[in-house]
Amino acid sequence: MVLEIKDLHVERNGQEIIKGFTATFHPGKIYTLMGPNGSGKSTLAYAIMGHPKYGIIQGTILLNGKDITHEKAHLRAKAGLFLSFQYPVEVPGLSLSSFLRTAVNNLQGKKYSVMEFHALLKEKMAILKIDPTLGKRDLNAGFSGGEKKRLEMLQLLLLKPSYALLDETDSGLDVDALKIVAQGIQEARKQKEMAIIVITHYNQFLKYLQPDEVLILVQGKIKAHGGYELAQRIEKSGFDSFINKQETVS
Ligand code: ADP
Ligand code: MG
């Protein structure tokens, strides 16, 4: 089981953003992808998930040996990839609980009845301390930032992917939200061996997570790769030393 990305080049609106990304991710490990704003972290996450607006110019993505470079997003999800999903659209009349049941049934090829799923949902919500009444609310009907984070972690526990990409964007994450995400990741790891790739800047968060591997992305390329000590180095001296550097340090 491995997710292998080889020499990936990605464009958005005709502009090359990822300029040769190579990395290997193993289930059971926590990875952190760091880099200055605009270095291409989100672009990379969307391209790995198969978002149609991100074009792969060159390179390959192998999921457990299978080439998924040009596979549709829902097939990647079925094969075990997960990208944190932020409920971009409001869906009146579709409850969170129905949405999640459909997603789990589709992805895992199961047929949970409403009653069975209710029990499963209740159990996972309790782990994450989610107010059970949220399940009845319409999708995206005014969820707070903290609630959205909890719901994202809920999806992780329900869908149990082999590879999870969590793009913790710089804005709007308070300390409580970070704690929720960190706790969700620990819980997910207890339940299933998965590779968790977290895109973040927060040092406090990194202390909770204690990533096994840290990747530094600058201007669309990996400029350094190391252990947690690499993140600590960035905390002290920033990304400056990686900018405009030619060779990769391991
Ligand atoms: P990061 O997540 O590391 O902050 P992004 O992947 O969001 O970086 O952005 C990488 C580059 O792609 C930036 O130069 C940004 O301006 C550009 N970019 C992001 N979204 C778009 C878009 N919709 N159209 C064109 N360029 C974009
Ligand atoms: Mg981003």
Side-chain angles (χ1 to χ4, degrees), residues 79-112:
L81 276 177
F82 171 89
L83 178 64
S84 55
F85 177 54
Q86 303 277 344
Y87 307 111
V89 285
E90 198 167 318
V91 187
L94 177 65
S95 70
L96 174 70
S97 153
S98 310
F99 167 76
L100 290 174
R101 186 166 72 95
T102 306
V104 171
N105 280 344
N106 280 342
L107 271 183
Q108 297 182 353
K110 292 203 174 127
K111 287 281 160 277
Y112 283 110

Side-chain angles (χ1 to χ4, degrees), residues 37-38 40-43 46 167-170 199:
N37 285 333
K41 304 181 294 297
S42 297
T43 300
Y46 282 121
D167 192 353
E168 303 308 330
T169 45
D170 305 345
I199 300 176

Side-chain angles (χ1 to χ4, degrees), residues 13-246:
N13 293 344
Q15 192 197 343
E16 187 177 2
I17 299 192
I18 300 299
K19 300 166 183 169
F21 177 91
T22 298
T24 306
F25 301 101
H26 299 272
K29 283 193 172 183
I30 294 182
Y31 300 83
T32 318
L33 181 65
M34 302 176 79
N37 285 333
S39 58
K41 304 181 294 297
S42 297
T43 300
L44 182 68
Y46 282 121
I48 294 172
M49 278 313 297
H51 191 295
K53 289 199 171 143
Y54 296 81
I56 294 178
I57 309 167
Q58 193 185 313
T60 47
I61 306 174
L62 295 173
L63 186 73
N64 304 332
K66 184 173 180 266
D67 189 340
I68 58 152
T69 316
H70 302 287
E71 200 84 87
K72 292 244 159 49
H74 70 279
L75 294 174
R76 295 180 199 220
K78 221 163 193 157
L81 276 177
F82 171 89
L83 178 64
S84 55
F85 177 54
Q86 303 277 344
Y87 307 111
V89 285
E90 198 167 318
V91 187
L94 177 65
S95 70
L96 174 70
S97 153
S98 310
F99 167 76
L100 290 174
R101 186 166 72 95
T102 306
V104 171
N105 280 344
N106 280 342
L107 271 183
Q108 297 182 353
K110 292 203 174 127
K111 287 281 160 277
Y112 283 110
S113 69
V114 174
M115 290 299 283
E116 286 165 339
F117 189 71
H118 181 73
L120 180 73
L121 193 61
K122 213 173 138 189
E123 177 203 319
K124 305 293 183 200
M125 280 180 152
I127 294 173
L128 294 169
K129 300 188 183 71
I130 296 176
D131 175 355
T133 62
L134 281 194
K136 298 195 182 79
R137 296 239 305 257
D138 276 6
L139 204 54
N140 199 36
F143 292 126
S144 72
E147 284 169 346
K148 280 186 184 161
K149 277 292 136 191
R150 280 204 169 78
L151 297 178
E152 200 176 290
M153 292 303 110
L154 181 64
Q155 289 183 63
L156 201 60
L157 297 194
L158 286 169
L159 300 175
K160 293 192 238 168
S162 302
Y163 307 91
L165 273 155
L166 307 176
D167 192 353
E168 303 308 330
T169 45
D170 305 345
S171 56
L173 275 194
D174 57 19
V175 177
D176 287 345
L178 293 180
K179 277 190 188 154
I180 295 163
V181 177
Q183 189 203 354
I185 289 173
Q186 307 303 354
E187 283 299 334
R189 269 236 286 203
K190 267 190 226 157
Q191 297 193 10
K192 180 175 180 181
E193 191 157 270
M194 55 176 97
I196 301 176
I197 305 154
V198 188
I199 300 176
T200 188
H201 283 297
Y202 294 96
N203 293 308
Q204 192 58 38
F205 189 37
L206 290 168
K207 276 180 201 143
Y208 281 128
L209 278 182
Q210 294 285 325
D212 300 297
E213 290 185 32
V214 174
L215 303 166
I216 309 296
L217 187 76
V218 179
Q219 291 151 356
K221 281 185 184 161
I222 290 290
K223 290 290 167 81
H225 181 190
Y228 179 50
E229 72 288 344
L230 184 56
Q232 290 170 308
R233 196 178 128 198
I234 303 250
E235 181 177 6
K236 281 206 193 94
S237 43
F239 293 110
D240 284 359
S241 62
F242 300 107
I243 295 172
N244 297 324
K245 210 159 102 213
Q246 295 308 307

